[in-house]
Amino acid sequence: MNTSFIKKQVAGLFESVDESFFNEFLLNAEIVEHNIGSYIFHQDSTEKVLYIILTGRVRIIKKDNKGFSILGDVASGQPLGEFSFFSDEPRTASAVAMRKTSLLKLKESDYITLIQSYPNIGQKFSAFVYNRLKSNFAGLNKINAPKNISVIILNHFENYDKLIDQILIELNFSGIATNVYYHDSFANKENSNVLNKIDEHEGINFLVCDETDMEWSSHCLMYSDSIIIASDFNSSKELLPIEKSLKIYESSILNQKKYLLLVH
């Protein structure tokens, strides 16, 4: 993974970091990867480990006598498990990777070593945790904006490519950088290898897929944070083979948000 990208994610939490801190941070931290559905930590566990999400997305779920409930999603560039890390309390919920996710893992002993050398970093991070706690109590940090959005074209309605162009124009007008990828955007490259890297790109990634390349479509869903299902307004109500094959509408605790876009 690109070290400048990692530095950017770390600097985002501590406002700014100098080169010496960043180098020592990387020496103490470990990069770990989790696939979709993998638990990063479990509710009630007592491990003293802090995580920072580099790429991917993590869903926070809590279990009680009524079953599971979703507390929210945590996106790249944000810490994970910081409250129990600093409070000496067991984990109040579980964290599950919604898609392939890379994290920096920092043990308590390594964190103590860092702040002994850089005490101002400890103060900055404590302030960050305090402000995030206030946001959570206010209900302001439930859902993070998606990074990767799959656009599933159910039927090749006329000018569907212009629909994509219009979405990009609106986002660019709002100052949001966008990248668009199709099944033939990466000739002769493995889909999984390519999609592992797109989180490092600036802005929002649109992954456009259809029945033309089902392997690409399947990978797009695995790496997406939300899904736009685009269809002709006058098309049949019957499920198409791509909808059945990708199991788009099956219910799961890890479901992405889905939006149906009818074009007429």
Side-chain angles (χ1 to χ4, degrees):
M1 186 173 292
N2 191 306
T3 54
S4 61
F5 174 77
I6 297 175
K7 183 177 181 178
K8 179 182 176 181
Q9 302 295 66
V10 174
L13 296 178
F14 302 114
E15 295 182 1
S16 63
V17 295
D18 57 34
E19 197 68 27
S20 61
F21 169 79
F22 175 68
N23 292 334
E24 189 167 346
F25 187 94
L26 286 187
L27 285 175
N28 285 278
E30 174 189 2
I31 296 179
V32 295
E33 292 190 347
H34 287 264
N35 290 318
I36 181 171
S38 171
Y39 277 79
I40 297 158
F41 55 76
H42 290 269
Q43 184 174 330
D44 297 324
S45 64
T46 56
E47 61 170 359
K48 298 292 290 181
V49 176
L50 173 69
Y51 296 90
I52 297 174
I53 302 176
L54 298 175
T55 64
R57 195 175 185 89
V58 176
R59 177 149 292 174
I60 308 302
I61 58 176
K62 188 176 181 66
K63 185 179 181 181
D64 56 25
N65 54 11
K66 296 181 180 179
F68 289 97
S69 57
I70 299 172
L71 301 185
D73 299 342
V74 187
S76 60
Q78 297 189 351
L80 185 67
E82 69 274 19
F83 300 125
S84 60
F85 183 79
F86 289 108
S87 68
D88 290 326
E89 296 291 331
R91 305 283 193 193
T92 57
S94 298
V96 188
M98 290 184 65
R99 56 183 176 88
K100 190 163 185 178
T101 299
S102 299
L103 310 98
L104 279 175
K105 178 181 179 180
L106 188 67
K107 297 179 181 178
E108 182 184 40
S109 57
D110 295 323
Y111 176 79
I112 292 173
T113 299
L114 276 172
I115 62 173
Q116 286 175 341
S117 300
Y118 302 91
N120 63 315
I121 294 297
Q123 295 170 0
K124 288 181 179 180
F125 198 75
S126 296
F128 177 90
V129 172
Y130 173 73
N131 289 328
R132 179 157 160 155
L133 183 60
K134 287 198 302 182
S135 296
N136 281 352
F137 279 132
L140 302 177
N141 197 34
K142 294 294 184 184
I143 299 293
N144 289 285
K147 173 72 176 178
N148 298 337
I149 301 174
S150 284
V151 182
I152 304 175
I153 308 298
L154 291 188
N155 31 56
H156 284 273
F157 48 84
E158 185 178 359
N159 296 328
Y160 82 89
D161 52 337
K162 291 185 178 180
L163 167 67
I164 303 298
D165 291 339
Q166 188 60 44
I167 293 174
L168 299 183
I169 290 171
E170 294 294 334
L171 290 172
N172 288 327
F173 182 76
S174 301
I176 301 173
T178 54
N179 310 287
V180 183
Y181 305 103
Y182 298 87
H183 74 99
D184 56 356
S185 295
F186 310 102
N188 302 319
K189 293 184 179 180
E190 288 287 336
N191 290 330
S192 57
N193 291 336
V194 168
L195 291 169
N196 280 337
K197 295 290 185 181
I198 64 172
D199 271 328
E200 299 181 25
H201 300 172
E202 290 290 337
I204 297 175
N205 299 311
F206 283 91
L207 312 174
V208 182
C209 53
D210 57 24
E211 76 279 359
T212 304
D213 187 336
M214 290 301 295
E215 181 184 359
W216 165 255
S217 298
S218 178
H219 275 87
C220 287
L221 294 195
M222 288 175 60
Y223 284 82
S224 64
D225 302 318
S226 60
I227 300 170
I228 295 175
I229 303 165
S231 178
D232 189 321
F233 182 82
N234 296 314
S235 64
S236 169
K237 296 180 181 180
E238 296 295 323
L239 288 182
L240 297 175
I242 185 175
E243 295 174 282
K244 296 176 182 178
S245 177
L246 296 178
K247 302 177 181 178
I248 296 174
Y249 309 113
E250 284 193 1
S251 179
S252 164
I253 195 72
L254 296 179
N255 278 159
Q256 305 103 321
K257 279 190 172 295
K258 300 179 183 69
Y259 304 89
L260 179 60
L261 181 60
L262 298 176
V263 181
H264 57 85

